[in-house]
Amino acid sequence: NHGFLDVRGARFDPPVVVTGAKDARVTGLRLRDAAGWRFQGLSVLSDATRDGPLVEFRDSRDIAFDGGSVSSGKDVREWSRQTWRAKVRDGIRVRGRDIRLTNNRLSGVNHGITARGHAIRVAKNVISWFAGDGIRALADNSVYRGNTIETCVKINDNHDDGIQSWSTGASGRPGTGVVRDIRIEANTIRNGRVPGLTCTLQGIGFFDGIFQDVVIRRNVVIVNHWHGITVMGADGVAISDNLVVDADPATAGTPWIAITAHKDGRAARNGLIKGNITQGPPTNPKFRQNQAGVRAENNRVVPSARAGIRLWNAEN
């Protein structure tokens, strides 16, 4: 146990590589104003003595974190609500440029991965047993691909999302800026049941635009909330070839796919909803697909989640 690893101002070219030896671990990792680091197979396990994210890269660039494990504690599946509230921490939080988070396993975390900055790649991570949002996709010119996000745990009033994004302008208020050029591709979001702690999980929720030049493609979303894939405030958003079905018909409503106006009333522009498989269009007029600036083509409606999954598997 190497304790908390805190690095400030260390920059390397060529990069330095840190690998996790068998059974070695740290209780936390933080880089500030750093560059040229590669972390491979590192185990990060909280000792519950500090706050903040378990892994944080702040104002850093050219960083990779691959094949690691990140958790707020052992045996999280046995935790009570009180234990979750006392011990859970955010998983990975990054702000910078050219940062890659790949092939990691996060378990027993609040928000799984939060990405701000430019040119962030979040790929092939597994985020399970989380209490907030699986991924917060806030970085421009970034890719979120092939991640698995499953089993949300309800411990507070946060509206939990598999993948969430929002924009911030100079004021810092949500919905006052623009998130640009991101791809949300081939991710799987599915909610499991946790006795006494099952959350109502929203799928992909982009609620405070503007979102510009965004592709949401080939994702599997199986959730128990009506927001399957929702984008509010769009300029050039394409939602195509996704599967969106209901994880539990007894709760919250059938999930939909929708592109709508910004919360301040600005109409969507150049929106496309095409080739998706879903259980039905939105019933709320605010979220219907036939809005100004949004085109819907060749979407298929299935009678049940089972029928949708069967059709998806046959075609993929």
Side-chain angles (χ1 to χ4, degrees):
N1 184 351
H2 294 270
F4 180 66
L5 178 59
D6 191 5
V7 178
R8 183 194 292 265
R11 307 178 190 92
F12 294 93
D13 185 12
V16 66
V17 179
V18 179
T19 60
K22 183 182 179 184
D23 299 326
R25 69 179 187 273
V26 297
T27 57
L29 168 63
R30 181 169 62 192
L31 301 186
R32 293 174 286 178
D33 189 26
W37 287 82
R38 305 286 185 268
F39 295 95
Q40 299 175 349
L42 192 65
S43 175
V44 183
L45 180 65
S46 173
D47 61 0
T49 61
R50 65 177 65 243
D51 296 323
L54 293 161
V55 176
E56 182 177 22
F57 304 144
R58 187 190 306 173
D59 300 325
S60 296
R61 59 179 174 82
D62 188 22
I63 310 293
F65 189 85
D66 177 75
S69 65
V70 178
S71 181
S72 298
K74 298 179 179 179
D75 304 320
V76 299
R77 299 189 182 199
E78 306 300 323
W79 283 3
S80 66
R81 188 189 305 272
Q82 291 73 23
T83 302
W84 273 95
R85 288 176 173 173
K87 290 188 175 183
V88 73
R89 293 167 59 186
D90 285 358
I92 301 175
R93 187 188 303 168
V94 304
R95 183 178 69 203
R97 180 181 292 272
D98 189 20
I99 295 174
R100 297 169 299 287
L101 308 173
T102 54
N103 301 300
N104 301 294
R105 301 188 69 87
L106 292 82
S107 177
V109 293
N110 185 38
H111 302 305
I113 294 175
T114 300
R116 299 178 185 269
H118 298 269
I120 313 295
R121 180 180 178 86
V122 179
K124 297 184 178 180
N125 302 284
V126 176
I127 302 165
S128 63
W129 289 74
F130 63 98
D133 301 323
I135 292 175
R136 291 182 152 188
L138 310 175
D140 294 336
N141 311 114
S142 296
V143 175
Y144 307 84
R145 179 180 291 133
N147 302 285
T148 298
I149 300 164
E150 56 189 357
T151 310
C152 168
V153 180
K154 190 65 176 176
I155 64 170
N156 53 37
D157 293 331
N158 182 70
H159 68 80
D160 306 309
D161 298 88
I163 300 176
Q164 185 180 185
S165 184
W166 65 89
S167 68
T168 52
S171 68
R173 290 187 295 109
T176 58
V178 181
V179 177
R180 295 180 172 87
D181 187 23
I182 63 175
R183 302 182 74 90
I184 310 291
E185 292 185 326
N187 302 285
T188 297
I189 301 169
R190 55 182 176 239
N191 201 20
R193 295 184 180 183
V194 183
L197 295 175
T198 300
C199 84
T200 302
L201 181 64
Q202 301 177 159
I204 298 173
F206 285 26
F207 299 122
D208 291 281
I210 298 293
F211 302 101
Q212 188 176 78
D213 299 328
V214 172
V215 173
I216 302 175
R217 179 175 177 269
R218 295 192 63 77
N219 301 282
V220 172
V221 178
I222 307 174
V223 293
N224 53 345
H225 193 282
W226 55 82
H227 285 303
I229 301 176
T230 299
V231 179
M232 301 177 66
D235 183 1
V237 173
I239 302 175
S240 64
D241 304 314
N242 302 280
L243 171 67
V244 176
V245 292
D246 200 345
D248 185 354
T251 61
T254 303
W256 61 47
I257 299 174
I259 298 173
T260 77
H262 190 284
K263 287 182 178 179
D264 64 12
R266 281 178 286 175
R269 299 176 53 192
N270 304 314
L272 177 64
I273 300 173
K274 180 179 180 180
N276 302 283
I277 300 171
T278 182
Q279 283 184 253
T283 54
N284 186 333
K286 181 178 179 181
F287 294 97
R288 285 181 182 162
Q289 295 174 0
N290 56 346
Q291 296 197 23
V294 182
R295 190 169 81 254
E297 299 179 356
N298 303 321
N299 299 291
R300 289 170 289 176
V301 176
V302 294
S304 66
R306 181 175 296 180
I309 293 168
R310 186 165 55 242
L311 179 59
W312 175 268
N313 289 337
E315 295 182 353
N316 294 276

